[in-house]
Amino acid sequence: AWDDMPEVHQRLAARLQEAFAAFLEHTDAQVGRLIDSLRDLGQLDNTIVMVLADNGASQEGGPFGVMHEMKFFNGILETPEQAIDDLVAWREAPPQRRTLVQALFRHWGRLRRR
């Protein structure tokens, strides 16, 4: 249970939950835009909207997962501290070094220093 987890594991889990919540909030807004557009075009009643998801559970990355799947395939397992550092590095990376995902997270303002 949550209370039995070490503090660093709780911090990592909370960070990952924050990132997922930010992604889900953005996705919800975009699906809402799609529904609004279909309604405006008079096509909502002719449309079936299906939302499918994969919970993402897998063996890759060990008990804490990894921020980069290729680390697992190269035998590099992260500690929770390293994973938290990766999340901070994404947020603080200079714009020219950020990937698209990092730039979008920064744009959406969801990863904040705690």
Side-chain angles (χ1 to χ4, degrees):
W2 182 262
D3 291 337
D4 297 330
M5 292 173 61
E7 186 270 338
V8 69
H9 295 184
Q10 290 178 356
R11 282 189 12 239
L12 175 58
R15 272 295 178 177
L16 294 173
Q17 291 168 17
E18 290 167 1
F20 179 76
F23 175 77
L24 192 57
E25 181 181 350
H26 176 75
T27 301
D28 181 60
Q30 302 318 304
V31 170
R33 290 178 57 206
L34 174 63
I35 299 297
D36 290 345
S37 294
L38 290 168
R39 185 179 294 116
D40 293 345
L41 293 169
Q43 294 300 312
L44 185 57
D45 290 339
N46 298 324
T47 304
I48 296 174
V49 177
M50 296 175 56
V51 179
L52 306 173
D54 174 3
N55 69 2
S58 67
Q59 293 296 322
E60 288 90 12
F64 310 112
V66 292
M67 297 296 109
H68 190 295
E69 187 177 283
M70 291 310 294
K71 285 184 176 181
F72 169 77
F73 293 118
N74 285 288
I76 303 169
L77 299 181
E78 293 179 317
T79 66
E81 294 87 353
Q82 291 168 322
I84 292 169
D85 288 346
D86 283 350
L87 289 170
V88 170
W90 282 15
R91 182 188 64 229
E92 295 176 353
Q96 67 273 19
R97 290 186 29 215
R98 274 189 244 135
T99 65
L100 175 61
V101 172
Q102 293 165 347
L104 290 174
F105 272 153
R106 187 163 191 80
H107 173 73
W108 295 331
R110 301 299 190 233
L111 295 178
R112 292 185 167 80
R113 183 181 305 277
R114 290 233 186 263

